[in-house]
Amino acid sequence: MKVVLMRLAALGVAGLVLAAPFAVRAQDDDDDHDRARDLYERGEIEGLAGILSIVHAKAPGEIVAVDLIRSGGKWVYRVQVVAADGRRRIVDVDARAGAVVGGEGDDR
């Protein structure tokens, strides 16, 4: 009986250890959202809806990820797009000016 309880305790601890990175990631996502909202409200960045229109014009497809990063002293939306043929593209858009500033992927 004591061995069973020790195994259950060890399993519980292992579960907590494995779940911790997901909890931290969720907190990071909340912080990112709050930071983006604050920057938008202060007029330092454009809203995401307008940025996504720019991205769709440059790289049609399904948007699978959007990150707001700091690059070269500017806020940049980094958008990952998967085209209908399966190609993945990354489009970087200046978050303040709303202009495409770079990216990577196939342009065919």
Side-chain angles (χ1 to χ4, degrees):
M1 183 67 140
K2 188 174 183 180
V3 172
V4 171
L5 288 175
M6 289 179 61
R7 285 185 181 171
L8 284 175
L11 183 61
V13 169
L16 288 173
V17 168
L18 292 174
F22 296 110
V24 169
R25 178 69 179 146
Q27 180 63 39
D28 288 346
D29 289 344
D30 289 344
D31 291 344
D32 289 346
H33 176 76
D34 291 340
R35 179 180 59 223
R37 185 183 63 236
D38 291 342
L39 290 167
Y40 174 74
E41 289 174 354
R42 290 194 312 254
E44 292 185 37
I45 63 172
E46 292 294 317
L48 189 56
I51 298 297
L52 295 182
S53 296
I54 293 165
V55 171
H56 276 297
K58 175 75 176 168
E62 182 180 350
I63 293 175
V64 296
V66 178
D67 292 308
L68 181 63
I69 62 171
R70 194 85 168 143
S71 176
K74 296 181 182 181
W75 287 107
V76 173
Y77 283 107
R78 176 160 286 162
V79 184
Q80 293 184 38
V81 181
V82 176
D85 63 2
R87 289 181 294 157
R88 183 181 67 95
R89 300 229 11 232
I90 295 175
V91 180
D92 289 345
V93 180
D94 182 313
R96 182 178 214 132
V100 175
V101 293
E104 60 186 56
D106 212 5
D107 275 332
R108 287 186 279 162

